[in-house]
Amino acid sequence: MVLEFEKPIADLEQKLQEMKDLAKGRNIDLSSDIESLEEKILALKKETFDNLTRWQRVQLSRHADRPYALDYIYEITNDFIELHGDRTVKDDKAMIGGLGDIDGRTVMFIGQQKGRNTKQRQERNFGMANPEGYRKALRLMKMAEKFGKPIVTLIDTPGAFPGLEAEERGQGEAIARNLKEMFMLKVPVICIIIGEGASGGALGIAVGDRVFMLENTWYSVISPESCSSILWRSWDYKEQAAEALKLTAKDMKNNGLVDDIIPEPLGGAHKDLKWMSKTIKEAILQSLKELDKIKPEKRIEQRIEKFCSMGVVEE
């Protein structure tokens, strides 16, 4: 999959491959031309990805090849054991969770999961969790607290499922309860936005001691398309909506809504899963090292203070 703004890069890469095939097939020395073109491609990549618009970063966060929660979990952990069900309704496939080992330490992972093909997307409900998904997440958080295991959440959702049946089963209550309970967890909580971070669906598992965003992700109360449809009665103004929402990782960091930005490889997280997973793992371990030094009561106090201090009030 090639995004619109990536097409000039893709064209040059195609020419590079053709040049390599020609040199190999006809035994011609084109090393200097190949090197020159490789340098040109690298320069174009840097220029392109250093100057992405907010809408382009939204597109990159939704890239079809972008790693999802389970991709990272299986790369980061040694022995991941997935746990299922909310013990009330059913097992929500859009919300995954389980215990994994990181360098000898057991961590509870929770995250939204999307699918790669049509069947998987339907099974995962496009990463939109129902109330039972949030209740499963809370059950696993309480289990982690009981056994003294830190919690890592991986956020990637276009929003909580807005269907009638979700409202009937208490979607708003389930998310609100998660917010309340996450503030009071006695174990360290690290939240990482790995793709889309839309509205309460994202916030339902995003109250933590440390909140990170990957470089090409977004976090907002509403998606640019939905914002555009409300303000202009059309999706055609999604680019303007994205600019107005200021939803990128850099915007969130500048506004004090997240703690830090985790860099991605040039071109996006999907270009190098192993490098990206290693970087996320390092961020998790460093955060745990810092949080372990703080007493649980103090961590809870700091967590509450952090979220209560967000935003600006003008009288």
Side-chain angles (χ1 to χ4, degrees):
M1 177 182 175
V2 178
L3 299 172
E4 188 66 32
F5 63 86
E6 294 179 306
K7 285 182 179 179
I9 298 170
D11 291 341
L12 287 179
E13 288 178 333
Q14 184 178 350
K15 289 180 181 177
L16 176 64
Q17 188 58 50
E18 290 172 357
M19 193 178 292
K20 287 180 178 179
D21 292 342
L22 179 65
K24 185 178 180 181
R26 297 190 180 182
N27 198 23
I28 305 171
D29 183 13
L30 298 175
S31 56
S32 60
D33 295 317
I34 290 172
E35 187 178 343
S36 176
L37 188 53
E38 286 176 336
E39 289 175 358
K40 186 177 180 181
I41 291 171
L42 182 60
L44 181 59
K45 278 185 176 181
K46 286 181 178 178
E47 182 184 356
T48 301
F49 288 98
D50 285 347
N51 297 284
L52 292 177
T53 66
R54 290 181 173 91
W55 172 244
Q56 287 170 339
R57 292 199 187 276
V58 171
Q59 289 179 295
L60 204 52
S61 76
R62 298 169 175 169
H63 198 287
D65 298 328
R66 192 172 179 88
Y68 296 144
L70 284 174
D71 297 319
Y72 289 125
I73 290 171
Y74 285 123
E75 282 289 332
I76 292 170
T77 64
N78 298 321
D79 300 302
F80 177 66
I81 302 172
E82 188 171 354
L83 301 171
H84 301 273
D86 70 333
R87 301 296 186 266
T88 304
V89 179
K90 64 176 183 178
D91 182 41
D92 189 345
K93 302 292 185 182
M95 186 76 75
I96 58 95
L99 294 165
D101 177 271
I102 304 182
D103 290 356
R105 181 167 186 178
T106 302
V107 174
M108 179 67 79
F109 283 91
I110 297 166
Q112 285 109 351
Q113 178 70 21
K114 297 176 179 177
R116 293 286 174 199
N117 53 43
T118 302
K119 184 179 179 181
Q120 288 178 1
R121 286 169 189 149
Q122 288 178 329
E123 182 184 16
R124 300 291 183 181
N125 200 29
F126 300 89
M128 296 185 292
N130 278 281
E132 52 269 25
Y134 291 99
R135 290 176 181 134
K136 172 168 76 170
L138 181 58
R139 181 178 75 83
L140 298 184
M141 290 178 202
K142 287 294 188 180
M143 180 188 294
E145 183 181 42
K146 179 179 179 180
F147 294 105
K149 306 302 180 186
I151 299 166
V152 174
T153 68
L154 302 175
I155 297 114
D156 185 13
T157 179
F161 184 60
L164 177 62
E165 60 272 33
E167 297 299 333
E168 288 175 342
R169 294 198 294 274
Q171 184 73 287
E173 187 275 339
I175 293 173
R177 183 173 294 278
N178 276 24
L179 301 182
K180 174 181 177 290
E181 296 291 344
M182 287 187 80
F183 276 118
M184 305 309 295
L185 290 169
K186 295 177 182 177
V187 293
V189 183
I190 300 166
C191 308
I192 306 172
I193 298 155
I194 60 171
E196 300 185 271
S199 194
L203 198 58
I205 58 169
V207 176
D209 303 296
R210 297 287 185 272
V211 181
F212 298 103
M213 289 180 73
L214 299 197
E215 185 180 352
N216 296 306
T217 61
W218 64 275
Y219 195 21
S220 176
V221 70
I222 193 170
S223 71
E225 295 94 331
S226 297
C227 178
S228 174
S229 67
I230 291 171
L231 295 181
W232 291 284
R233 308 295 183 195
S234 168
W235 278 22
D236 296 339
Y237 300 93
K238 52 188 177 292
E239 291 91 346
Q240 292 95 311
E243 291 298 318
L245 287 168
K246 293 182 171 58
L247 38 58
T248 65
K250 189 175 180 181
D251 293 322
M252 295 294 106
K253 177 79 186 303
N254 290 340
N255 289 327
L257 301 176
V258 299
D259 296 297
D260 211 348
I261 300 169
I262 299 176
E264 296 187 18
L266 188 61
H270 55 287
K271 294 295 183 181
D272 193 339
L273 173 59
K274 289 192 179 296
W275 185 93
M276 190 72 257
S277 300
K278 182 174 178 288
T279 307
I280 291 173
K281 181 179 177 179
E282 288 170 355
I284 292 171
L285 291 174
Q286 180 59 37
S287 296
L288 289 177
K289 186 178 178 182
E290 295 168 1
L291 293 169
D292 285 341
K293 297 174 183 176
I294 307 171
K295 291 183 178 180
E297 296 77 14
K298 188 65 176 177
R299 270 201 308 266
I300 292 171
E301 184 183 324
Q302 290 178 353
R303 197 183 302 155
I304 293 171
E305 176 60 30
K306 178 168 75 164
F307 281 84
C308 286
S309 64
M310 292 179 182
V312 177
V313 178
E314 292 184 5
E315 297 183 359

